[in-house]
Coordinates of all heavy atoms in Angstrom, one line a residue:
M221 N -19.9 21.8 13.5 CA -18.9 20.7 13.7 C -19.0 19.8 12.5 O -20.1 19.6 11.9 CB -19.3 19.9 15.0 CG -18.7 20.6 16.2 SD -18.6 19.5 17.6 CE -20.3 19.5 18.2
Q222 N -17.9 19.2 12.2 CA -17.8 18.2 11.1 C -17.8 16.8 11.7 O -17.4 16.6 12.8 CB -16.6 18.5 10.3 CG -16.7 19.8 9.5 CD -15.5 19.9 8.6 OE1 -14.4 20.0 9.0 NE2 -15.7 19.9 7.3
R223 N -18.2 15.9 10.9 CA -18.3 14.5 11.3 C -17.3 13.6 10.5 O -17.1 13.8 9.3 CB -19.7 13.9 10.9 CG -20.0 12.5 11.3 CD -21.3 12.0 10.8 NE -22.4 12.8 11.4 CZ -23.0 12.6 12.6 NH1 -22.7 11.5 13.3 NH2 -24.0 13.3 13.0
C224 N -16.6 12.8 11.3 CA -15.5 11.9 10.7 C -16.2 10.9 9.8 O -17.2 10.3 10.1 CB -14.8 11.2 11.9 SG -13.6 10.0 11.3
E225 N -15.6 10.8 8.6 CA -16.2 9.9 7.6 C -16.0 8.5 7.9 O -16.7 7.6 7.4 CB -15.7 10.2 6.2 CG -14.3 9.8 5.9 CD -13.9 10.1 4.5 OE1 -14.0 11.2 4.0 OE2 -13.5 9.1 3.8
L226 N -15.1 8.1 8.8 CA -14.9 6.7 9.2 C -15.7 6.3 10.4 O -16.5 5.4 10.3 CB -13.4 6.4 9.4 CG -13.1 5.0 9.8 CD1 -13.4 4.1 8.6 CD2 -11.7 4.8 10.3
C227 N -15.5 7.0 11.5 CA -16.2 6.6 12.7 C -17.4 7.3 13.1 O -18.2 6.9 14.0 CB -15.2 6.7 13.9 SG -14.8 8.4 14.4
G228 N -17.7 8.4 12.4 CA -19.0 9.2 12.6 C -18.9 10.1 13.7 O -19.9 10.8 14.0
N229 N -17.8 10.3 14.4 CA -17.7 11.2 15.5 C -17.8 12.6 15.1 O -17.1 13.0 14.1 CB -16.3 10.9 16.2 CG -16.2 11.8 17.5 OD1 -17.1 12.0 18.2 ND2 -14.9 12.2 17.7
E230 N -18.6 13.4 15.7 CA -18.6 14.8 15.5 C -17.6 15.5 16.4 O -17.6 15.2 17.6 CB -20.0 15.4 15.7 CG -21.0 15.1 14.7 CD -22.3 15.8 14.8 OE1 -22.4 16.7 15.7 OE2 -23.2 15.5 14.1
Y231 N -16.8 16.4 15.8 CA -15.6 16.9 16.6 C -15.3 18.3 16.1 O -15.3 18.6 14.9 CB -14.4 16.0 16.4 CG -13.2 16.3 17.2 CD1 -13.3 16.6 18.5 CD2 -11.9 16.2 16.6 CE1 -12.1 16.9 19.3 CE2 -10.8 16.5 17.3 CZ -10.9 16.8 18.7 OH -9.7 17.1 19.4
D232 N -15.2 19.2 17.1 CA -14.9 20.6 16.7 C -13.5 20.9 16.1 O -13.3 21.9 15.5 CB -15.2 21.6 17.9 CG -14.2 21.4 19.0 OD1 -13.5 20.3 19.1 OD2 -14.2 22.3 19.9
K233 N -12.6 19.9 16.3 CA -11.3 20.0 15.7 C -11.1 19.0 14.6 O -9.9 18.7 14.2 CB -10.2 19.8 16.8 CG -10.3 20.9 17.9 CD -9.3 20.6 19.0 CE -9.5 21.6 20.1 NZ -10.8 21.6 20.8
A234 N -12.2 18.6 13.9 CA -12.0 17.7 12.8 C -11.3 18.5 11.7 O -11.3 19.7 11.6 CB -13.4 17.3 12.3
F235 N -10.7 17.7 10.8 CA -9.9 18.4 9.7 C -10.2 17.7 8.4 O -10.7 16.6 8.4 CB -8.4 18.3 10.1 CG -7.9 16.9 10.4 CD1 -7.3 16.1 9.4 CD2 -7.9 16.4 11.7 CE1 -6.9 14.8 9.6 CE2 -7.5 15.1 11.9 CZ -7.0 14.3 10.9
T236 N -9.8 18.4 7.3 CA -10.0 17.9 6.0 C -8.7 17.6 5.3 O -7.8 18.4 5.4 CB -10.8 19.0 5.2 OG1 -12.0 19.3 5.8 CG2 -11.1 18.5 3.8
I237 N -8.7 16.5 4.6 CA -7.5 16.1 3.8 C -8.0 15.9 2.4 O -9.0 15.2 2.1 CB -6.9 14.8 4.3 CG1 -6.3 15.0 5.7 CG2 -5.8 14.3 3.3 CD1 -5.7 13.7 6.3
S238 N -7.3 16.5 1.4 CA -7.7 16.4 0.0 C -6.7 15.4 -0.6 O -5.5 15.5 -0.5 CB -7.5 17.7 -0.7 OG -7.9 17.6 -2.0
Q239 N -7.3 14.3 -1.3 CA -6.4 13.3 -1.9 C -7.1 13.0 -3.3 O -8.3 12.7 -3.3 CB -6.4 12.1 -1.1 CG -5.5 11.0 -1.7 CD -5.5 9.7 -0.9 OE1 -6.5 9.1 -0.7 NE2 -4.3 9.3 -0.5
A240 N -6.3 13.2 -4.3 CA -6.7 12.9 -5.7 C -8.0 13.6 -6.0 O -8.9 13.1 -6.6 CB -7.0 11.4 -5.9
G241 N -8.1 14.9 -5.5 CA -9.2 15.8 -5.9 C -10.4 15.6 -5.1 O -11.5 16.2 -5.3
K242 N -10.4 14.7 -4.1 CA -11.6 14.4 -3.2 C -11.2 14.8 -1.8 O -10.2 14.5 -1.2 CB -12.0 13.0 -3.3 CG -13.2 12.7 -2.5 CD -13.6 11.2 -2.5 CE -14.8 11.0 -1.7 NZ -15.1 9.6 -1.5
N243 N -12.1 15.6 -1.1 CA -11.9 16.0 0.3 C -12.5 14.9 1.2 O -13.6 14.4 1.0 CB -12.6 17.3 0.5 CG -11.9 18.5 -0.2 OD1 -10.7 18.4 -0.4 ND2 -12.7 19.5 -0.5
H244 N -11.7 14.7 2.3 CA -12.1 13.7 3.3 C -12.1 14.4 4.7 O -11.1 15.2 4.9 CB -11.1 12.5 3.4 CG -11.1 11.8 2.1 ND1 -11.8 10.7 1.8 CD2 -10.3 12.0 1.0 CE1 -11.5 10.2 0.6 NE2 -10.6 11.0 0.1
V245 N -13.0 14.2 5.5 CA -13.1 14.8 6.9 C -12.8 13.7 7.9 O -13.5 12.6 7.9 CB -14.4 15.4 7.1 CG1 -14.5 16.0 8.5 CG2 -14.7 16.6 6.1
F246 N -11.9 14.0 8.9 CA -11.6 13.0 9.9 C -11.5 13.7 11.3 O -11.2 14.9 11.3 CB -10.2 12.4 9.6 CG -10.2 11.6 8.3 CD1 -9.6 12.2 7.2 CD2 -10.8 10.4 8.2 CE1 -9.5 11.5 6.0 CE2 -10.8 9.7 7.0 CZ -10.2 10.3 5.9
D247 N -11.7 13.0 12.3 CA -11.5 13.5 13.7 C -10.2 13.2 14.3 O -9.8 13.6 15.3 CB -12.6 13.0 14.6 CG -12.6 11.5 14.8 OD1 -12.0 10.8 14.0 OD2 -13.2 11.0 15.8
S248 N -9.4 12.3 13.6 CA -8.1 11.9 14.1 C -7.2 11.4 12.9 O -7.7 11.0 11.9 CB -8.3 10.7 15.1 OG -8.7 9.6 14.5
F249 N -5.9 11.4 13.2 CA -5.0 10.8 12.2 C -5.2 9.3 12.1 O -5.1 8.7 11.0 CB -3.6 11.1 12.5 CG -3.2 12.6 12.3 CD1 -3.0 13.4 13.3 CD2 -3.1 13.1 11.0 CE1 -2.7 14.8 13.1 CE2 -2.8 14.4 10.7 CZ -2.6 15.2 11.8
E250 N -5.6 8.7 13.2 CA -5.9 7.2 13.2 C -7.0 6.9 12.1 O -6.8 6.0 11.3 CB -6.3 6.8 14.5 CG -6.7 5.3 14.6 CD -7.2 4.9 16.0 OE1 -7.4 5.8 16.8 OE2 -7.3 3.7 16.2
C251 N -8.0 7.6 12.1 CA -9.1 7.4 11.1 C -8.6 7.7 9.7 O -8.9 7.0 8.8 CB -10.3 8.2 11.5 SG -11.2 7.6 13.0
A252 N -7.9 8.8 9.6 CA -7.4 9.2 8.3 C -6.5 8.1 7.7 O -6.6 7.8 6.5 CB -6.6 10.5 8.3
I253 N -5.6 7.6 8.5 CA -4.7 6.5 8.0 C -5.5 5.3 7.6 O -5.2 4.7 6.5 CB -3.7 6.2 9.1 CG1 -2.7 7.3 9.3 CG2 -3.0 4.8 8.9 CD1 -1.9 7.2 10.6
Q254 N -6.5 4.9 8.3 CA -7.3 3.8 8.0 C -8.0 3.9 6.6 O -8.1 2.9 5.9 CB -8.4 3.5 9.0 CG -7.9 2.9 10.3 CD -7.2 1.6 10.1 OE1 -7.7 0.7 9.4 NE2 -6.0 1.4 10.7
V255 N -8.4 5.1 6.3 CA -9.1 5.4 5.0 C -8.1 5.6 3.9 O -8.3 5.1 2.7 CB -10.1 6.5 5.2 CG1 -10.7 6.9 3.8 CG2 -11.2 6.1 6.1
L256 N -7.1 6.4 4.1 CA -6.2 7.0 3.0 C -4.9 6.3 2.8 O -4.4 6.3 1.7 CB -6.0 8.5 3.2 CG -7.3 9.3 3.3 CD1 -6.9 10.8 3.5 CD2 -8.1 9.2 2.0
A257 N -4.3 5.7 3.8 CA -2.9 5.2 3.7 C -3.0 3.9 2.9 O -3.9 3.0 3.1 CB -2.3 5.0 5.0
P258 N -2.0 3.7 2.0 CA -2.0 2.4 1.3 C -1.6 1.3 2.2 O -1.0 1.5 3.2 CB -0.9 2.7 0.2 CG -0.1 3.8 0.7 CD -1.0 4.6 1.6
T259 N -1.9 0.1 1.8 CA -1.5 -1.1 2.6 C -0.3 -1.8 1.9 O -0.3 -2.0 0.7 CB -2.7 -2.1 2.6 OG1 -3.8 -1.4 3.2 CG2 -2.4 -3.3 3.4
C260 N 0.7 -2.2 2.7 CA 1.9 -2.8 2.2 C 1.5 -4.2 1.6 O 0.8 -5.0 2.3 CB 2.9 -3.0 3.3 SG 4.4 -3.9 2.8
A261 N 1.9 -4.5 0.4 CA 1.6 -5.8 -0.2 C 2.4 -6.9 0.5 O 2.0 -8.1 0.3 CB 2.0 -5.7 -1.7
H262 N 3.4 -6.6 1.2 CA 4.3 -7.6 1.8 C 3.8 -7.9 3.2 O 3.5 -9.1 3.6 CB 5.7 -7.2 1.8 CG 6.6 -8.1 2.6 ND1 6.8 -9.4 2.2 CD2 7.4 -7.9 3.7 CE1 7.6 -10.0 3.0 NE2 8.0 -9.1 3.9
C263 N 3.7 -6.9 4.1 CA 3.4 -7.2 5.5 C 2.0 -6.7 5.9 O 1.6 -7.0 7.1 CB 4.4 -6.4 6.4 SG 4.3 -4.6 6.4
R264 N 1.2 -6.1 5.0 CA -0.2 -5.7 5.2 C -0.3 -4.6 6.2 O -1.4 -4.2 6.6 CB -1.0 -6.9 5.7 CG -0.9 -8.2 4.9 CD -1.1 -8.0 3.4 NE -2.4 -7.5 3.1 CZ -2.7 -6.9 1.9 NH1 -1.8 -6.9 1.0 NH2 -3.9 -6.4 1.7
C265 N 0.8 -3.9 6.6 CA 0.7 -2.8 7.5 C 0.2 -1.6 6.7 O 0.3 -1.6 5.4 CB 2.0 -2.4 8.2 SG 3.3 -1.8 7.0
R266 N -0.3 -0.5 7.3 CA -0.6 0.7 6.7 C 0.7 1.5 6.5 O 1.5 1.6 7.5 CB -1.6 1.5 7.5 CG -3.0 0.9 7.5 CD -3.6 1.0 6.2 NE -5.0 0.5 6.2 CZ -5.8 0.6 5.2 NH1 -5.4 1.1 4.1 NH2 -7.0 0.1 5.3
I267 N 0.9 2.0 5.4 CA 2.1 2.8 5.1 C 1.9 4.2 5.4 O 1.1 4.9 4.7 CB 2.6 2.6 3.6 CG1 2.8 1.1 3.3 CG2 3.8 3.4 3.4 CD1 3.0 0.8 1.9
I268 N 2.5 4.7 6.5 CA 2.3 6.1 6.9 C 3.6 6.9 6.7 O 3.6 8.1 6.8 CB 1.8 6.3 8.4 CG1 2.8 5.6 9.3 CG2 0.4 5.6 8.5 CD1 2.4 5.8 10.8
G269 N 4.7 6.3 6.4 CA 5.9 7.0 6.0 C 6.1 6.8 4.6 O 5.2 6.7 3.8
H270 N 7.4 6.8 4.2 CA 7.7 6.6 2.8 C 7.5 5.1 2.4 O 7.9 4.2 3.1 CB 9.2 7.0 2.5 CG 9.4 8.4 2.7 ND1 9.1 9.3 1.7 CD2 10.0 9.1 3.7 CE1 9.4 10.5 2.1 NE2 10.0 10.5 3.3
G271 N 6.8 5.0 1.3 CA 6.6 3.6 0.8 C 7.1 3.7 -0.7 O 7.6 4.7 -1.2
I272 N 7.0 2.5 -1.3 CA 7.4 2.4 -2.7 C 6.2 1.9 -3.5 O 5.5 1.0 -3.1 CB 8.5 1.4 -2.8 CG1 9.7 1.9 -2.0 CG2 8.9 1.2 -4.2 CD1 10.7 0.8 -1.6
E273 N 5.9 2.6 -4.6 CA 4.8 2.2 -5.4 C 5.4 1.6 -6.7 O 6.2 2.3 -7.4 CB 3.9 3.3 -5.7 CG 2.7 2.9 -6.6 CD 1.8 4.1 -6.9 OE1 2.0 5.2 -6.5 OE2 0.7 3.8 -7.6
D274 N 5.0 0.4 -7.1 CA 5.5 -0.2 -8.3 C 4.2 -0.7 -9.0 O 3.7 -1.7 -8.6 CB 6.5 -1.3 -8.0 CG 7.1 -1.8 -9.3 OD1 7.0 -1.2 -10.4 OD2 7.8 -2.9 -9.2
K275 N 3.8 -0.1 -10.1 CA 2.7 -0.6 -10.9 C 1.4 -0.7 -10.0 O 0.7 -1.7 -10.1 CB 3.0 -1.9 -11.6 CG 4.2 -1.8 -12.6 CD 4.6 -3.1 -13.1 CE 5.8 -3.0 -14.0 NZ 6.7 -4.1 -13.9
G276 N 1.2 0.3 -9.2 CA 0.0 0.3 -8.4 C 0.1 -0.5 -7.1 O -0.9 -0.5 -6.3
V277 N 1.2 -1.2 -6.9 CA 1.4 -2.0 -5.6 C 2.3 -1.2 -4.7 O 3.4 -0.8 -5.1 CB 2.0 -3.4 -5.9 CG1 2.2 -4.2 -4.7 CG2 1.0 -4.2 -6.9
F278 N 1.9 -1.1 -3.4 CA 2.7 -0.4 -2.5 C 3.4 -1.3 -1.6 O 2.9 -2.4 -1.2 CB 1.8 0.5 -1.6 CG 1.2 1.7 -2.4 CD1 0.0 1.5 -3.0 CD2 1.8 2.9 -2.4 CE1 -0.6 2.6 -3.7 CE2 1.3 4.0 -3.1 CZ 0.1 3.8 -3.8
I279 N 4.7 -0.9 -1.2 CA 5.5 -1.7 -0.3 C 6.1 -0.8 0.7 O 6.6 0.3 0.3 CB 6.6 -2.5 -1.0 CG1 6.0 -3.4 -2.1 CG2 7.5 -3.3 0.0 CD1 7.1 -4.0 -3.0
A280 N 6.0 -1.1 2.0 CA 6.6 -0.3 3.0 C 8.1 -0.4 2.8 O 8.7 -1.4 2.6 CB 6.2 -0.8 4.4
A281 N 8.8 0.8 2.9 CA 10.2 0.9 2.5 C 11.1 -0.1 3.3 O 12.0 -0.6 2.8 CB 10.7 2.3 2.6
R282 N 10.8 -0.2 4.6 CA 11.7 -1.0 5.4 C 11.2 -2.5 5.7 O 11.8 -3.2 6.4 CB 11.8 -0.3 6.8 CG 12.5 1.0 6.7 CD 13.9 0.9 6.1 NE 14.5 2.2 5.9 CZ 15.7 2.3 5.3 NH1 16.3 1.3 4.8 NH2 16.2 3.5 5.2
T283 N 10.1 -2.9 5.1 CA 9.6 -4.3 5.3 C 9.6 -5.1 4.1 O 9.2 -6.3 4.1 CB 8.2 -4.3 5.9 OG1 7.3 -3.7 5.0 CG2 8.2 -3.5 7.2
A284 N 10.0 -4.6 2.9 CA 10.0 -5.4 1.7 C 11.0 -6.6 1.9 O 12.0 -6.5 2.6 CB 10.4 -4.5 0.5
P285 N 10.7 -7.7 1.2 CA 11.5 -8.9 1.5 C 12.9 -8.8 1.0 O 13.8 -9.3 1.7 CB 10.7 -10.0 0.7 CG 9.9 -9.2 -0.3 CD 9.6 -7.9 0.3
S286 N 13.2 -8.2 -0.1 CA 14.5 -8.1 -0.6 C 14.6 -7.1 -1.7 O 13.7 -7.0 -2.5 CB 14.9 -9.5 -1.2 OG 16.1 -9.3 -2.0
P287 N 15.7 -6.3 -1.8 CA 15.9 -5.4 -2.9 C 15.8 -6.1 -4.2 O 15.4 -5.5 -5.2 CB 17.2 -4.8 -2.6 CG 17.4 -4.9 -1.2 CD 16.8 -6.2 -0.8
R288 N 16.2 -7.4 -4.2 CA 16.2 -8.1 -5.5 C 14.8 -8.5 -6.0 O 14.6 -8.8 -7.1 CB 17.0 -9.4 -5.4 CG 18.5 -9.1 -5.4 CD 19.3 -10.5 -5.3 NE 19.1 -11.1 -4.1 CZ 19.9 -11.0 -3.0 NH1 21.0 -10.3 -3.2 NH2 19.7 -11.6 -1.9
A289 N 13.9 -8.4 -5.0 CA 12.5 -8.8 -5.3 C 11.8 -7.7 -6.3 O 10.9 -8.1 -7.0 CB 11.6 -8.9 -4.1
S290 N 12.3 -6.5 -6.2 CA 11.7 -5.5 -7.0 C 12.7 -4.4 -7.4 O 13.3 -3.8 -6.5 CB 10.5 -4.8 -6.2 OG 10.2 -3.6 -6.9
P291 N 12.9 -4.2 -8.7 CA 13.9 -3.2 -9.1 C 13.5 -1.8 -8.5 O 14.3 -1.0 -8.2 CB 13.8 -3.2 -10.6 CG 13.3 -4.6 -10.9 CD 12.4 -5.0 -9.8
A292 N 12.1 -1.5 -8.5 CA 11.7 -0.2 -8.0 C 12.0 -0.1 -6.5 O 12.4 0.9 -6.0 CB 10.2 -0.1 -8.1
F293 N 11.9 -1.2 -5.7 CA 12.3 -1.2 -4.3 C 13.8 -0.9 -4.2 O 14.2 -0.1 -3.3 CB 11.9 -2.5 -3.7 CG 12.4 -2.6 -2.3 CD1 11.8 -1.9 -1.3 CD2 13.4 -3.5 -1.9 CE1 12.3 -2.0 0.0 CE2 13.9 -3.6 -0.6 CZ 13.3 -2.8 0.4
A294 N 14.6 -1.6 -4.9 CA 16.1 -1.3 -4.8 C 16.4 0.1 -5.1 O 17.2 0.7 -4.4 CB 16.8 -2.3 -5.8
T295 N 15.8 0.7 -6.2 CA 16.1 2.1 -6.5 C 15.6 3.0 -5.4 O 16.4 3.9 -5.0 CB 15.3 2.4 -7.8 OG1 15.8 1.6 -8.8 CG2 15.5 3.9 -8.2
A296 N 14.4 2.8 -4.8 CA 13.9 3.6 -3.8 C 14.8 3.5 -2.5 O 15.0 4.5 -1.9 CB 12.5 3.3 -3.5
L297 N 15.2 2.3 -2.2 CA 16.1 2.1 -1.0 C 17.4 2.9 -1.2 O 17.9 3.6 -0.2 CB 16.4 0.7 -0.8 CG 15.7 -0.1 0.3 CD1 16.4 -1.4 0.5 CD2 15.7 0.7 1.6
A298 N 18.0 2.9 -2.4 CA 19.2 3.6 -2.6 C 19.0 5.1 -2.5 O 19.8 5.8 -1.9 CB 19.7 3.2 -4.0
E299 N 17.8 5.6 -2.9 CA 17.5 7.0 -2.8 C 17.4 7.4 -1.3 O 17.8 8.4 -0.9 CB 16.3 7.4 -3.6 CG 16.5 7.3 -5.1 CD 15.2 7.5 -5.9 OE1 14.1 7.7 -5.3 OE2 15.3 7.4 -7.1
I300 N 16.7 6.5 -0.6 CA 16.5 6.8 0.9 C 17.8 6.8 1.6 O 18.1 7.7 2.4 CB 15.5 5.8 1.5 CG1 14.1 6.1 0.9 CG2 15.5 5.9 3.0 CD1 13.1 5.0 1.2
D301 N 18.6 5.8 1.3 CA 19.9 5.7 2.0 C 20.9 6.8 1.6 O 21.8 7.2 2.4 CB 20.6 4.3 1.6 CG 19.8 3.2 2.3 OD1 19.1 3.4 3.3 OD2 20.0 2.1 1.9
A302 N 20.7 7.4 0.4 CA 21.6 8.5 0.0 C 21.3 9.9 0.7 O 22.1 10.8 0.7 CB 21.5 8.7 -1.5
R303 N 20.1 9.9 1.4 CA 19.7 11.2 2.1 C 20.6 11.4 3.3 O 21.1 10.6 4.0 CB 18.3 11.1 2.5 CG 17.4 11.2 1.3 CD 15.9 11.2 1.7 NE 15.1 10.9 0.5 CZ 13.8 10.5 0.6 NH1 13.3 10.3 1.7 NH2 13.1 10.3 -0.5
Ligands
LIG219 ZN1 -12.9 9.1 13.3

């Protein structure tokens, strides 16, 4: 059995996620999100869907204050809306 790197729970259905060349072991998606998901610079939520990264700062796609606040945000919103 593997042990979750966040909560320490040993679980026979633990899984491994590789991010940036490093492997992480978790017992739940909840723990994986706490460790791996970026935090929105605007609302402080964990970004588990599409977010926008601008110069290393992440913003949740639907909670950013205004498309005018960030050209990267405006571009990403237009791309999402075009789908
Ligand atoms: Zn855990």
Side-chain angles (χ1 to χ4, degrees):
M221 276 198 281
Q222 291 184 294
R223 182 182 301 272
C224 176
E225 74 176 55
L226 180 67
C227 71
N229 183 37
E230 286 189 6
Y231 186 43
D232 65 345
K233 296 175 184 67
F235 54 93
T236 302
I237 297 176
S238 180
Q239 183 183 56
K242 183 178 178 192
N243 289 334
H244 301 267
V245 176
F246 302 103
D247 64 342
S248 67
F249 287 108
E250 179 183 9
C251 288
I253 288 166
Q254 287 298 314
V255 172
L256 300 177
T259 301
C260 177
H262 175 60
C263 69
R264 312 305 304 162
C265 71
R266 290 291 185 175
I267 301 171
I268 58 173
H270 292 283
I272 299 158
E273 181 181 4
D274 187 14
K275 297 173 187 146
V277 176
F278 291 88
I279 302 171
R282 296 297 176 190
T283 63
S286 163
R288 285 184 292 264
S290 165
F293 174 69
T295 300
L297 254 191
E299 291 173 0
I300 291 169
D301 289 342
R303 291 181 192 161

